Amino acid sequence: MTYLQQITSPTLLIDEKICRENLQRMATKAKNNSMKLVPHFKTGQSKAIGKWAKDYNVSEITVSSIKMAEYFCGDDWETIHIAFPFNPLEIKKLNELSQNQKISVQLVNSEVAKMLANQLRSPVGFFIEIDAGYGRTGVAVSDFGKIEEILRISQTSDYLQFRGFYIHAGHSYYAKDVAAIHEQNIAALNMLKNKYCTEFPDLVTRSGDTPTCSMMEDLGGIDEMGPGNFVFYDLTQAGIGSCTKADIAVALAVPVVDINPEKKTILIHGGGVHLAKDVLIEPNGEKNFGEVVFLSDDGWEIPESRSFVKSISQEHGIIQASEELLQKAQVGDLLGILPVHSCMTADCMKAYLSLDGQWIDHTEGQRF
């Protein structure tokens, strides 16, 4: 039985070969820049993918929640870093996990630093998150008062241990000048390292976004890279220039349930609960929720003419179909959809089917 014969409803496919190629490429770039690759597993959220990453000398990972950290505990990771401003309501759980797993967290204020200093029962590392310039979170790079207050508080604790500075330039996903954002990251992290390395000689700097890590060859002396989306990539990253469509390692398999040749549309079982609702805008103003690929026993093929999902509701998706697709597709067929945002699609689907017919785990879903 091929993997296609197992599918009767929307199913997220993963191409292990492409995924491994993406891991290998980023590991090589890290090595060439004398950096440590610490991938962010908010994208894959899978122990199986973690095992693949270890084949490329990945020994430490980043996650986005303490729940995700708990999922990866016990898999022999050197350290699991929680890259979200730490939620003090989870200190009890952090104490449980840090007894047997080396954990680090992210701090952006003195209030949480004080709570951790007073309540930790095992060693926990921390990065100070620096605002990359788009205001989502983090300490302003020039706010030395806040930085030093957090550092002073940590020095009152036997367990709260400073690791370094972290920047995630999330606005690089939407910016026209990724290189300029990259230069700002380098300047900020190098300035902070030069300022505090005498007092903290072991501090490291880490930058975490996929566009700059994918597109820039010179990483400017930053110690560690922590991209996440690169393991799968998606249409957004292809549009930015981080990858090509051939580098996208996941596709949503969807059943064709109706075809309207006059309107040149195809109705699929695949909507917002499967793809999420991230969207790209076509040159003519139409929405694009994902692009069609042709499935085969070996994986998928990008068609010569482009077709895309132009609208979605909860379970429905409507494809604006090319003539090529209209000639090939029949009711009852399966089509593949390359996602606009693979992290969100994976989170919606909660498991993967490999091309050899094996189910692969996800933090939020089935654990095989």
Side-chain angles (χ1 to χ4, degrees), residues 13-211:
L13 307 175
I14 185 168
D15 187 317
E16 180 180 345
K17 179 177 180 290
I18 297 176
C19 189
R20 283 182 174 274
E21 288 171 351
N22 294 339
L23 284 162
Q24 174 72 75
R25 191 182 308 112
M26 197 64 74
T28 298
K29 178 170 284 192
K31 183 178 179 181
N32 290 343
N33 281 272
S34 301
M35 299 174 77
K36 183 176 184 179
L37 174 60
V38 187
H40 200 317
F41 267 48
K42 69 181 177 63
T43 300
Q45 298 192 51
S46 169
K47 292 186 176 186
I49 298 171
K51 291 179 181 178
W52 302 347
K54 287 181 180 181
D55 290 340
Y56 306 99
N57 298 314
V58 173
S59 59
E60 179 175 350
I61 60 171
T62 301
V63 298
S64 56
S65 67
I66 200 161
K67 177 182 178 181
M68 201 181 300
E70 183 176 21
Y71 184 66
F72 285 103
C73 283
D75 278 9
D76 297 320
W77 294 110
E78 180 183 298
T79 305
I80 299 174
H81 175 64
I82 304 170
F84 186 89
F86 188 73
N87 170 12
L89 299 179
E90 295 181 320
I91 291 177
K92 180 179 178 182
K93 174 60 71 173
L94 179 62
N95 277 326
E96 292 174 7
L97 298 184
S98 60
Q99 290 180 37
N100 299 304
Q101 169 66 60
K102 199 171 179 181
I103 301 277
S104 60
V105 299
Q106 214 135 285
L107 295 182
V108 297
N109 59 54
S110 59
E111 291 84 355
V112 175
K114 287 176 184 176
M115 294 179 193
L116 287 169
N118 291 331
Q119 298 178 48
L120 286 178
R121 299 295 176 261
S122 299
V124 170
F126 74 94
F127 282 82
I128 296 177
E129 182 177 2
I130 302 302
D131 181 0
Y134 67 117
R136 183 180 73 174
T137 185
V139 180
V141 67
S142 59
D143 194 345
F144 304 121
K146 182 175 285 189
I147 290 171
E148 289 165 16
E149 184 178 12
I150 294 171
L151 292 173
R152 284 195 300 272
I153 291 168
S154 72
Q155 290 172 320
T156 68
S157 168
D158 292 332
Y159 297 128
L160 191 55
Q161 302 169 347
F162 179 52
R163 294 191 66 192
F165 297 102
Y166 181 105
I167 281 182
H168 178 265
H171 56 325
S172 64
Y173 287 65
Y174 314 104
K176 293 182 179 179
D177 194 346
V178 173
I181 292 173
H182 179 57
E183 292 302 320
Q184 292 169 8
N185 287 353
I186 291 172
L189 290 175
N190 286 342
M191 180 274 290
L192 290 168
K193 186 166 188 177
N194 289 336
K195 183 174 178 63
Y196 292 104
C197 67
T198 300
E199 185 177 3
F200 302 96
D202 295 327
L203 81 84
V204 299
T205 53
R206 184 183 298 175
S207 180
D209 64 293
T210 286

Side-chain angles (χ1 to χ4, degrees), residues 10 252 269-277 312-317 344-350:
L252 183 71
H269 181 195
V273 296
H274 310 106
L275 284 166
K277 289 199 172 183
I312 56 176
S313 53
Q314 184 164 324
E315 299 279 349
H316 300 68
M344 293 298 294
T345 299
D347 203 64
C348 288
M349 295 306 298
K350 300 177 172 51

